[in-house]
Amino acid sequence: MNVNEIMLDLERKHPGESEYLQAVREVLESIEEVYNQHPEFEKAKIVERMVEPDRIITFRVTWVDDNGEIQTNLGYRVQFNSAIGPYKGGIRFHKAVNLSMLKFLGFEQTFKNALTTLPMGGAKGGSDFDPVGKSDGEIMRFCQAFMWELWQNIGPDTDVPAGDVGVGGREIGYMYGMYKKLAREYNTGVLTGKGLTWGGSLIRPEATGFGALYFVEHMLNRAGKELKGATVAISGFGNVAWGAATKATELGAKVIAISGPDGVVYNPNGMNEEKLAYMLELRASNRNIVAPFAEKFADATFIPGKKAWSVKCDIALPCAFQNELTGADAEELLANGTWCVAEVSNMGCTPEAIATFQKARILFAPGKAVNAGGVATSGLEMTQNAMHISWSAAEVDEKLHYIMQSIHEACVKAGAEGDYTNYVKGANIAGFLKVARAMLEQGIV
Ligand code: GLU
């Protein structure tokens, strides 16, 4: 494989799709060496096939807002790869959603899902619908209109969507309600992240953040470090940030920063139960600002326009959006003594930031390994749905723990570089080999 040649070809086919091209380049560069040891992959053109989505469904979503105005948004589902299981991945509602973003996310999801040890292929979907400031009625009508178009393309053995940025339990509920009406069957396995009384799994809302902290714990243990007493800066204040802050606090770390598009909240005394509960309230308010946190808690300070990475911390956890931590942010973190960065958002760090961390040889792990606990627990939800049972919180948490440990081991095994663990390389190689072997065995399709 010649990475530059493949990238040139891809750039020609998908001009300007920067996030997608960025995600593919990162993976290809780190698997190149292993790939070239397998002439059978080259012969079957595995990489050339794997970088293109199997299929993309695009549709118009028309709905009526509270003023009676007709609104039209774009809807998508990118079914990326189904070599190891039905398509699986979240739905993102955000004003910046476009095909480049969803292709990058679907591509990443393929490798992430392969790492979970569960049989799930990769997909992603979404819309440029902006949930900020929308009423509950508007959210419901939009979700219904979205599902009206999507429903025939999904199913428990076909494609199983879930939440992502802008899509949580409420949206999944509205989408499932519409699915059920259209399909005329009670088929819970078609979506994950459902409510607990109608097929959801305990621990699913917490799973991405909890799983991330289990992964970080393993990284730290291996490096002879401890979470207990460490200071943690988190970006975002949504569901993922909340799960990460909750588990970090439970494990004895101090979460000293959370952030939003409006700035960062410096929280020197760390979180407590009341503060963690307020994070959820803040997200549910749909205003997308973090400043009210500092109005409510006297020991916290709001710094407008600043990122979480301006706060001196031991551990940085990007929990918001892709490319939210840049090369300049990485320099600032290093200057402040940060010694561990784990992406909880998908592709949270730019390539420059990753290179900066790796050059400094601090602990760094990529989103597809760190945040895989979310989709892994979706996989556990699918299993429970298929068996028509529900496991206790302790059972699900134990399985999540085991999965995160397995992912960590797989990364260490494939990513060893002398005495440094290159988790990016480890995650990419481990995920790639699983999907590549399955594709090879299934022939030219
Ligand atoms: N959106 C999450 C992710 O990026 C979860 C996907 C799922 O549960 O299917 O992995």
Side-chain angles (χ1 to χ4, degrees), residues 209-276:
F210 279 23
L213 266 294
Y214 297 154
F215 190 94
V216 169
E217 242 193 336
H218 285 295
M219 281 172 88
L220 266 50
N221 282 346
R222 200 178 131 76
K225 303 215 178 237
E226 267 200 0
L227 251 177
K228 204 162 184 263
T231 52
V232 179
I234 288 180
S235 63
F237 62 99
N239 173 264
V240 170
W242 164 77
T246 303
K247 191 48 92 177
T249 305
E250 197 187 303
L251 295 173
K254 200 187 262 189
V255 177
I256 55 164
I258 56 170
S259 69
D262 52 334
V264 61
V265 167
Y266 177 54
N267 179 47
N269 297 324
M271 292 289 175
N272 56 33
E273 222 170 281
E274 203 191 341
K275 286 178 175 175
L276 289 166

Side-chain angles (χ1 to χ4, degrees), residues 179-191:
Y179 176 86
K180 185 165 64 76
K181 192 176 170 72
L182 294 164
R184 299 194 181 241
E185 57 181 15
Y186 207 95
N187 199 355
T188 48
V190 73
L191 290 171

Side-chain angles (χ1 to χ4, degrees), residues 100-121:
S100 168
M101 196 191 290
L102 297 179
K103 276 153 75 178
F104 121 63
L105 288 163
F107 181 72
E108 288 281 295
Q109 198 81 41
T110 302
F111 295 87
K112 181 196 315 196
N113 293 3
L115 288 171
T116 65
T117 73
L118 304 174
M120 299 183 288

